[in-house]
Amino acid sequence: MTIDATSRQVLPAQWYSDPSVFEIEQRRIFGHSWQLAGSAAQVAEPGDCLPFRAGELPLLVTRDDAGALNGMVNVCRHRGSEIVREPGRHKRLQCPYHGWTYGLDGCLRAAPRSRENPDFSVDRHRLPRAQAAEWSSMLFVNPDSDAPPLAGLLGELGTILDATSVPWSAMGTPIRREWEIQANWKILVENYLECYHCPLVHPSFSGVIDMDDFSWRESEHFIIQGGPIRDGSGATGSDLFTAYIWPNTFLNTYPGPANVTTQVIVPVAPDRSVLIYDYYFLEEVEEATQREFLEFWDIVQQEDVPLCESVHRGLASGSLPEPNLMLPREDLLGWLHGRVRGAIGDEFTS
Ligand code: FES
Ligand SMILES: [Fe+2]
């Protein structure tokens, strides 16, 4: 099947569950895209380490003693263990399995018992490089060390964020929530790219945001969505603002206390994704207010999960050849489908 990269033709249902599509996506999309790892504050000091997954690929970002950011593959060159599993501060990176030890730049420094092997040389082993970049106080990683710089791809998005009057630059360490969801990653992205489902599925959210005034705008590499606070809802703070960055990152600010909320959708299997929510608040926001805010968004998320899992099962059943989009409300799904087709369409034949 030959596909026009600019086509907005919807994706076949099979593309949401076929393992060969998933494998091509890993290689051609997640192996070459910038993905959000966390906030720059999390790797501000020498020795700070932040592990992350770009799809199936474990990655690591470190700040070395010279102050440089290093991105690398977080897979030991010995027999493949992940080296750093939790954010933390280290002088060296020691693999927890047999103790091979790397510098913060990813070069192997020592391996136990290596003197017994005259053919072994630490110089022959280093963790493959990835790119890491700070952008608007956030930390992005790209497994492809030759990929174009992030700032060029995002262009005016930085200015658009600044205009929201939300403290993007004050992001410190987030409160993290992770959800494992039995659904293909594209179903989760689609769920955040349309609010057609909001009045029925999210009554509390729809009571706060005016869906009739919901708007969206596409750029080549990102999409902006927004909705004003509904008159008389009692909500405070800024209006809803969401930026989707291809392929799996969302940056949001929600009504309520000054906040930044990010979502990253990590595809771990054709039918399984990990959804990472990071919530950032200004220091002066009281804990009780933070808790109340998190509870509200936990409920919204719990409303979405069973529906996304249900869509996955329905599409995998083979009974619907392709989704029927309700335009213009679901226009952005067409944008996503065009990007996916453009990335993998010439390789996959169904
Ligand atoms: S797998 Fe890392 S030291 Fe053995
Ligand atoms: Fe939803």
mmCIF file of all heavy atoms in Angstrom, residues 76-83 95-102 112, ligand 1:
data_model
loop_
_atom_site.group_PDB
_atom_site.id
_atom_site.type_symbol
_atom_site.label_atom_id
_atom_site.label_comp_id
_atom_site.label_asym_id
_atom_site.label_seq_id
_atom_site.Cartn_x
_atom_site.Cartn_y
_atom_site.Cartn_z
ATOM 1 N N CYS A 76 22.998 -1.559 29.963
ATOM 2 C CA CYS A 76 24.380 -1.931 30.216
ATOM 3 C C CYS A 76 24.957 -2.697 29.032
ATOM 4 O O CYS A 76 24.311 -3.581 28.460
ATOM 5 C CB CYS A 76 24.441 -2.777 31.484
ATOM 6 S SG CYS A 76 26.118 -3.252 31.911
ATOM 7 N N ARG A 77 26.187 -2.349 28.677
ATOM 8 C CA ARG A 77 26.880 -2.985 27.550
ATOM 9 C C ARG A 77 27.326 -4.398 27.889
ATOM 10 O O ARG A 77 27.821 -5.110 27.015
ATOM 11 C CB ARG A 77 28.093 -2.144 27.120
ATOM 12 C CG ARG A 77 27.766 -0.748 26.614
ATOM 13 C CD ARG A 77 26.926 -0.765 25.358
ATOM 14 N NE ARG A 77 25.519 -0.532 25.643
ATOM 15 C CZ ARG A 77 24.546 -0.632 24.735
ATOM 16 N NH1 ARG A 77 24.818 -0.967 23.505
ATOM 17 N NH2 ARG A 77 23.289 -0.409 25.066
ATOM 18 N N HIS A 78 27.187 -4.815 29.150
ATOM 19 C CA HIS A 78 27.562 -6.193 29.513
ATOM 20 C C HIS A 78 26.475 -7.150 29.043
ATOM 21 O O HIS A 78 26.582 -7.739 27.983
ATOM 22 C CB HIS A 78 27.800 -6.293 31.028
ATOM 23 C CG HIS A 78 28.104 -7.694 31.488
ATOM 24 N ND1 HIS A 78 27.654 -8.179 32.688
ATOM 25 C CD2 HIS A 78 28.811 -8.697 30.900
ATOM 26 C CE1 HIS A 78 28.080 -9.436 32.833
ATOM 27 N NE2 HIS A 78 28.779 -9.768 31.755
ATOM 28 N N ARG A 79 25.374 -7.223 29.781
ATOM 29 C CA ARG A 79 24.339 -8.160 29.368
ATOM 30 C C ARG A 79 22.960 -7.538 29.366
ATOM 31 O O ARG A 79 21.953 -8.230 29.312
ATOM 32 C CB ARG A 79 24.395 -9.416 30.228
ATOM 33 C CG ARG A 79 25.584 -10.276 29.804
ATOM 34 C CD ARG A 79 25.699 -11.636 30.457
ATOM 35 N NE ARG A 79 24.491 -12.171 31.006
ATOM 36 C CZ ARG A 79 24.406 -12.748 32.225
ATOM 37 N NH1 ARG A 79 25.482 -12.858 32.970
ATOM 38 N NH2 ARG A 79 23.270 -13.219 32.660
ATOM 39 N N GLY A 80 22.925 -6.204 29.403
ATOM 40 C CA GLY A 80 21.651 -5.557 29.071
ATOM 41 C C GLY A 80 20.792 -5.072 30.206
ATOM 42 O O GLY A 80 19.664 -4.632 29.959
ATOM 43 N N SER A 81 21.250 -5.127 31.427
ATOM 44 C CA SER A 81 20.417 -4.598 32.518
ATOM 45 C C SER A 81 20.250 -3.082 32.362
ATOM 46 O O SER A 81 21.154 -2.395 31.876
ATOM 47 C CB SER A 81 21.092 -4.886 33.861
ATOM 48 O OG SER A 81 20.451 -4.179 34.899
ATOM 49 N N GLU A 82 19.101 -2.573 32.789
ATOM 50 C CA GLU A 82 18.974 -1.119 32.919
ATOM 51 C C GLU A 82 19.886 -0.682 34.066
ATOM 52 O O GLU A 82 19.966 -1.367 35.090
ATOM 53 C CB GLU A 82 17.527 -0.731 33.206
ATOM 54 C CG GLU A 82 16.623 -0.979 32.009
ATOM 55 C CD GLU A 82 15.161 -1.004 32.373
ATOM 56 O OE1 GLU A 82 14.819 -1.622 33.403
ATOM 57 O OE2 GLU A 82 14.365 -0.428 31.643
ATOM 58 N N ILE A 83 20.545 0.448 33.907
ATOM 59 C CA ILE A 83 21.572 0.825 34.886
ATOM 60 C C ILE A 83 20.983 1.691 35.998
ATOM 61 O O ILE A 83 21.168 1.418 37.177
ATOM 62 C CB ILE A 83 22.733 1.552 34.177
ATOM 63 C CG1 ILE A 83 23.340 0.606 33.140
ATOM 64 C CG2 ILE A 83 23.798 1.991 35.183
ATOM 65 C CD1 ILE A 83 24.218 1.282 32.132
ATOM 66 N N CYS A 95 26.095 -0.410 37.234
ATOM 67 C CA CYS A 95 25.049 -1.359 36.885
ATOM 68 C C CYS A 95 24.756 -2.249 38.087
ATOM 69 O O CYS A 95 25.685 -2.790 38.706
ATOM 70 C CB CYS A 95 25.480 -2.197 35.680
ATOM 71 S SG CYS A 95 24.240 -3.434 35.246
ATOM 72 N N PRO A 96 23.471 -2.431 38.431
ATOM 73 C CA PRO A 96 23.146 -3.201 39.643
ATOM 74 C C PRO A 96 23.360 -4.698 39.489
ATOM 75 O O PRO A 96 23.269 -5.427 40.474
ATOM 76 C CB PRO A 96 21.658 -2.885 39.854
ATOM 77 C CG PRO A 96 21.137 -2.513 38.507
ATOM 78 C CD PRO A 96 22.276 -1.883 37.768
ATOM 79 N N TYR A 97 23.670 -5.185 38.260
ATOM 80 C CA TYR A 97 23.745 -6.645 38.086
ATOM 81 C C TYR A 97 25.154 -7.171 38.414
ATOM 82 O O TYR A 97 25.342 -7.924 39.365
ATOM 83 C CB TYR A 97 23.327 -6.995 36.655
ATOM 84 C CG TYR A 97 22.910 -8.435 36.443
ATOM 85 C CD1 TYR A 97 22.472 -8.866 35.183
ATOM 86 C CD2 TYR A 97 22.923 -9.372 37.481
ATOM 87 C CE1 TYR A 97 22.068 -10.172 34.971
ATOM 88 C CE2 TYR A 97 22.522 -10.681 37.284
ATOM 89 C CZ TYR A 97 22.098 -11.085 36.024
ATOM 90 O OH TYR A 97 21.711 -12.383 35.812
ATOM 91 N N HIS A 98 26.190 -6.776 37.660
ATOM 92 C CA HIS A 98 27.539 -7.273 37.941
ATOM 93 C C HIS A 98 28.520 -6.143 38.254
ATOM 94 O O HIS A 98 29.706 -6.376 38.402
ATOM 95 C CB HIS A 98 28.089 -8.072 36.752
ATOM 96 C CG HIS A 98 27.145 -9.122 36.243
ATOM 97 N ND1 HIS A 98 26.220 -8.861 35.250
ATOM 98 C CD2 HIS A 98 26.962 -10.408 36.611
ATOM 99 C CE1 HIS A 98 25.504 -9.956 35.016
ATOM 100 N NE2 HIS A 98 25.926 -10.903 35.820
ATOM 101 N N GLY A 99 28.014 -4.912 38.268
ATOM 102 C CA GLY A 99 28.841 -3.807 38.742
ATOM 103 C C GLY A 99 29.683 -3.091 37.699
ATOM 104 O O GLY A 99 30.590 -2.340 38.072
ATOM 105 N N TRP A 100 29.439 -3.308 36.416
ATOM 106 C CA TRP A 100 30.141 -2.468 35.442
ATOM 107 C C TRP A 100 29.815 -1.011 35.783
ATOM 108 O O TRP A 100 28.644 -0.667 36.058
ATOM 109 C CB TRP A 100 29.692 -2.787 34.001
ATOM 110 C CG TRP A 100 30.299 -4.048 33.445
ATOM 111 C CD1 TRP A 100 30.693 -5.149 34.144
ATOM 112 C CD2 TRP A 100 30.561 -4.319 32.053
ATOM 113 N NE1 TRP A 100 31.184 -6.096 33.280
ATOM 114 C CE2 TRP A 100 31.119 -5.629 31.992
ATOM 115 C CE3 TRP A 100 30.383 -3.612 30.865
ATOM 116 C CZ2 TRP A 100 31.494 -6.224 30.788
ATOM 117 C CZ3 TRP A 100 30.753 -4.209 29.664
ATOM 118 C CH2 TRP A 100 31.308 -5.495 29.628
ATOM 119 N N THR A 101 30.845 -0.162 35.713
ATOM 120 C CA THR A 101 30.680 1.207 36.203
ATOM 121 C C THR A 101 31.051 2.217 35.122
ATOM 122 O O THR A 101 32.134 2.137 34.526
ATOM 123 C CB THR A 101 31.559 1.423 37.452
ATOM 124 O OG1 THR A 101 31.160 0.454 38.426
ATOM 125 C CG2 THR A 101 31.371 2.802 38.026
ATOM 126 N N TYR A 102 30.132 3.139 34.882
ATOM 127 C CA TYR A 102 30.271 4.125 33.805
ATOM 128 C C TYR A 102 30.411 5.514 34.410
ATOM 129 O O TYR A 102 29.895 5.799 35.493
ATOM 130 C CB TYR A 102 29.036 4.112 32.896
ATOM 131 C CG TYR A 102 28.731 2.751 32.286
ATOM 132 C CD1 TYR A 102 28.058 1.775 33.026
ATOM 133 C CD2 TYR A 102 29.118 2.450 30.982
ATOM 134 C CE1 TYR A 102 27.775 0.536 32.482
ATOM 135 C CE2 TYR A 102 28.835 1.207 30.428
ATOM 136 C CZ TYR A 102 28.171 0.257 31.180
ATOM 137 O OH TYR A 102 27.898 -0.971 30.631
ATOM 138 N N PRO A 112 34.325 -5.282 37.138
ATOM 139 C CA PRO A 112 34.935 -6.235 38.069
ATOM 140 C C PRO A 112 35.540 -7.428 37.325
ATOM 141 O O PRO A 112 34.956 -7.916 36.356
ATOM 142 C CB PRO A 112 33.741 -6.683 38.942
ATOM 143 C CG PRO A 112 32.764 -5.554 38.850
ATOM 144 C CD PRO A 112 32.919 -4.984 37.474
HETATM 145 S S1 FES B 1 24.437 -6.518 32.974
HETATM 146 FE FE1 FES B 1 25.404 -4.746 33.690
HETATM 147 S S2 FES B 1 27.135 -5.439 34.724
HETATM 148 FE FE2 FES B 1 26.220 -7.225 33.988
#
